[in-house]
Amino acid sequence: MIVQNDRTDRENVVMRGGPGMVCVRHFGFNGAGTPARFLILEIPPGAAEGVHVHRTDDANGIGAFDEFYYIIAGNGLMTLGPGTFAVGPGDYVHAPLDMPRGIANASPALPLKVHLTVVLREPVRPGDVIDSKVGNLR
């Protein structure tokens, strides 16, 4: 498959109620990556992805996602669970279901660039049975 660099897949959004606008680039791969989604976040100074939680049962309706952050450039402050810590180029963070997460640009002058992989997990509802060998719902 030949992949071209399509610059039309970018959008500027307020992410999860965080301050400022974040440029989000989506990589669709024509659905070949499903159930994963791949994004690049460009977070300018003063902006952030707001702290949020993806719930196992998707009770809040924002999707049952595990998220995997890889810092490409810049410096940020990552919130994961009850803690907040500094992140920089080469750092990676797994934010599992049911754990609060968010990331803010810590620089007053430079953008924070993050590769974000999100993996959709089927929402687990009361009464569901999980196959322990493969982690899928039956």
Side-chain angles (χ1 to χ4, degrees):
M1 171 190 270
I2 296 174
V3 177
Q4 296 183 4
N5 190 354
D6 181 1
R7 300 286 183 194
T8 63
D9 57 0
R10 294 172 186 251
E11 60 180 337
N12 290 307
V13 298
V14 172
M15 286 197 71
R16 306 290 183 210
M21 299 293 282
V22 175
C23 178
V24 180
R25 182 164 183 214
H26 300 269
F27 296 86
F29 297 109
N30 294 323
T34 302
R37 296 180 190 164
F38 308 94
L39 305 96
I40 297 289
L41 309 180
E42 292 182 30
I43 305 172
E49 171 196 46
V51 176
H52 62 287
V53 178
H54 291 280
R55 302 212 178 274
T56 303
D57 61 5
D58 195 24
N60 56 6
I62 63 172
F65 293 108
D66 276 327
E67 294 183 312
F68 301 84
Y69 296 78
Y70 177 78
I71 310 305
I72 298 169
N75 292 292
L77 289 174
M78 181 84 203
T79 297
L80 189 64
T84 299
F85 51 93
V87 292
D91 289 342
Y92 53 93
V93 177
H94 171 222
L97 288 167
D98 300 315
M99 183 172 288
R101 81 285 306 267
I103 189 165
N105 187 336
S107 171
L110 300 173
L112 173 63
K113 194 169 186 178
V114 179
H115 176 222
L116 177 62
T117 300
V118 298
V119 179
L120 178 62
R121 307 297 188 195
E122 293 183 56
V124 177
R125 312 268 187 228
D128 284 344
V129 177
I130 299 176
D131 183 335
S132 62
K133 292 181 183 174
V134 293
N136 292 335
L137 293 175
R138 299 191 273 164

